[in-house]
């Protein structure tokens, strides 16, 4: 899977952005977004902020689970006590393609990987091999309980690192986080859980 992680401040301003890929099941940790998808990711994630605003009053949990989807990508959210939002867009790789070889953008329409149906050649072979491969693993099923738990643990680790970063007296709650140490620790959490 490919991931786009964003921290959004209390004034709906982006504080931190990071793209990374899965490190599980032979993944190399590199995001496999097409150029069109890369430019669309911030818009897709920010479009789910209205849903987060509604859910924060209905739910007393910090982890809001999977709150939205756009075509084949899913958005999960975590809300801090200061109303800072952690948003994670996770996009599964197309069926039966290893993480290192993504299909060409012309095989998907209209936004590269942002479609809900794979090409017809992949659609036929995906039904035959889905029973033999682990369909409940993180890379194969973005809506499985294992994936939800891995994302919850990722958000927990990132919250701990974020809390240490904003406790710095020279850093405010709504200031951008540009620390390379913070970036490295978020990447480490992503590698550990996702």
């Amino acid at each position: 899977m490919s991931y786009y992680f964003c921290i959004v401040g209390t004034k709906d301003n982006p504080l931190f952005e990071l793209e990374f890929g899965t490190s599980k099941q032979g993944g190399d940790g590199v995001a496999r977004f097409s150029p069109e998808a890369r430019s669309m990711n911030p818009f897709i994630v920010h479009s789910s902020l209205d849903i987060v605003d509604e859910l924060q009053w209905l739910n007393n949990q910090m982890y809001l689970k999977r709150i939205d989807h756009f075509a084949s990508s899913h958005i999960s959210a975590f809300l801090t006590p200061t109303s800072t939002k952690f948003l994670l867009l996770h996009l599964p790789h197309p069926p039966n393609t290893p993480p290192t070889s993504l299909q060409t953008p012309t095989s998907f329409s209209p936004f590269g990987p942002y479609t809900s149906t794979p090409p017809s050649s992949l659609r036929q072979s995906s039904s035959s091999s889905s029973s033999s491969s682990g369909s409940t693993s993180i890379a194969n099923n973005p809506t499985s309980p294992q994936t939800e738990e891995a994302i919850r643990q990722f958000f927990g680790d990132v919250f701990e690192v974020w809390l240490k970063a904003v406790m710095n007296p020279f850093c405010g709650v709504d200031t951008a986080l540009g620390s390379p140490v913070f970036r490295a620790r978020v990447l480490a959490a992503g590698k550990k859980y996702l």
Side-chain angles (χ1 to χ4, degrees):
M1 270 204 258
S2 295
Y3 299 96
Y4 172 76
F5 175 68
C6 182
I7 298 177
V8 179
T10 58
K11 299 172 185 167
D12 291 343
N13 55 326
L15 304 177
F16 180 79
E17 296 178 316
L18 181 66
E19 285 184 358
F20 59 95
T22 188
S23 296
K24 304 289 182 189
Q25 297 182 348
D28 58 359
V30 177
R32 304 281 185 227
F33 291 114
S34 68
E36 296 88 10
R38 252 194 191 97
S39 62
M40 293 286 292
N41 286 343
F43 296 109
I44 295 168
V45 167
H46 282 30
S47 70
S48 65
L49 288 175
D50 291 335
I51 297 170
V52 173
D53 288 339
E54 290 176 15
L55 288 175
Q56 75 180 353
W57 303 111
L58 301 175
N59 192 349
N60 60 356
Q61 302 292 322
M62 290 172 56
Y63 176 51
L64 302 176
K65 298 187 180 182
R66 190 173 61 94
I67 59 163
D68 197 10
H69 64 88
F70 177 78
S72 61
S73 61
H74 303 275
I75 296 111
S76 299
F78 183 92
L79 187 65
T80 67
T82 61
S83 294
T84 300
K85 300 149 197 83
F86 297 172
L87 299 167
L88 180 71
L89 180 138
H90 38 110
L91 175 71
H93 294 295
N96 295 334
T97 56
T100 56
S101 65
L102 187 63
Q103 297 290 324
T104 59
T106 57
S107 65
F108 293 96
S109 64
F111 297 113
Y114 291 127
T115 60
S116 57
T117 58
S120 60
S121 63
L122 292 176
R123 200 177 306 129
Q124 295 167 352
S125 61
S126 67
S127 61
S128 63
S129 67
S130 63
S131 61
S132 63
S133 65
S135 62
T136 59
S137 66
I138 291 175
N140 292 335
N141 190 357
T143 60
S144 71
Q146 293 88 352
T147 304
E148 291 287 338
E149 180 63 21
I151 291 172
R152 186 190 64 77
Q153 291 175 338
F154 167 76
F155 279 144
D157 278 11
V158 171
F159 176 65
E160 185 178 325
V161 173
W162 173 82
L163 197 57
K164 291 177 183 176
V166 297
M167 286 177 60
N168 179 352
F170 300 109
C171 178
V173 175
D174 277 335
T175 57
L177 299 165
S179 167
V181 175
F182 181 78
R183 180 176 293 275
R185 289 187 179 169
V186 171
L187 277 172
K191 186 175 183 178
K192 181 177 179 182
Y193 297 112
L194 305 174

